[in-house]
Amino acid sequence: MTQRESMQYDVVIVGAGPAGLAAAIRLKQLGQQHGRDVSVCVLEKGSEVGAHILSGAVMDPRALNELIPDWRQKSAPLNAPVTEDRFLFLSESSAFRVPNFLLPGCFRNQGNYVVSLGNICRWLGRQAEALGVEIFPGFAAAEVLYSEAGNVMGVATGDMGVGRDGQPTANHQPGMELHGKYTLFAEGCRGHLGRQIQDQFKLRNGRDPQVHGIGLKELWEIKPEKHNKGLVIHTAGWPLDSHTYGGSFLYHMEDNLVSIGLVVGLAYSN
């Protein structure tokens, strides 16, 4: 078997989502503050940063204010401030709107922004690279690497040029090992390496079962006269029954776009 090459970093981050990129930026900032050159790399399975970030999103800018206070001057893609919240209970043929003063804080979005998380991540990626973070899109972390003492010492990317039978082809290239003093797993929900880590270190022992849902989303371009930039609508009820948690959302973005989706708890009865 061909020996895999390795690269050494202070910190290896798996996943170029909002958490992974924000962590990379903060590490570089802290290094600069203390006069140290902290080497940081980020692995991203998507073909580009943001390619796998599909969620519709209403974003509280508090964390961005703390991380990059001059984000407005740096043209962060927060261009649709929330102008109105609506919460509706749906039946099959009608809707009841809850008065806004009765809404819990999590459904009050004054000061927040309707955003494309994919665009946010692409922008964060540029800020990270400007600080010296090395980002490798198109490379999925396939394996957790452990030291002889059993500690996590990094990850390895998958081999390329492997046939359907699992055997190397003429174009075979072994994966790359990325070693880090620290490895941060920012894969998102149910990442396959995260599950390996849970099993390896028995992190789920004695814990309640995890609860999962599935989100379905489309992006619609609607007629300008029907578009209300900054309008945020959440719903509960139909088409879900009273035993299934979830609901739908309609977020009016910029450029006459609406992010429309449905979230369903996976404990539903079929």
Side-chain angles (χ1 to χ4, degrees), residues 7 26 28 50 73 93 100 115 126 134 163 168 194 206 222:
M7 299 174 67
R26 188 62 182 140
K28 279 293 189 179
Q73 290 75 19
S93 58
N100 279 23
V115 300
R126 293 193 292 272
E134 296 184 31
I222 64 175

Side-chain angles (χ1 to χ4, degrees), residues 21-42:
L21 291 170
I25 290 170
R26 188 62 182 140
L27 287 164
K28 279 293 189 179
Q29 290 173 341
L30 291 171
Q32 291 176 352
Q33 290 173 15
H34 292 86
R36 288 192 55 200
D37 182 18
V38 179
S39 58
V40 182
C41 79
V42 180

Side-chain angles (χ1 to χ4, degrees), residues 102-126:
L102 292 177
L103 293 178
C106 59
F107 288 111
R108 299 181 185 182
N109 291 292
Q110 293 84 357
N112 296 343
Y113 293 81
V114 181
V115 300
S116 161
L117 267 186
N119 287 339
I120 292 289
C121 287
R122 279 182 273 274
W123 179 83
L124 285 173
R126 293 193 292 272

Side-chain angles (χ1 to χ4, degrees), residues 65-78:
N65 290 335
E66 297 175 357
L67 183 68
I68 307 175
D70 59 344
W71 57 265
R72 291 179 178 85
Q73 290 75 19
K74 292 182 176 178
S75 302
L78 281 71

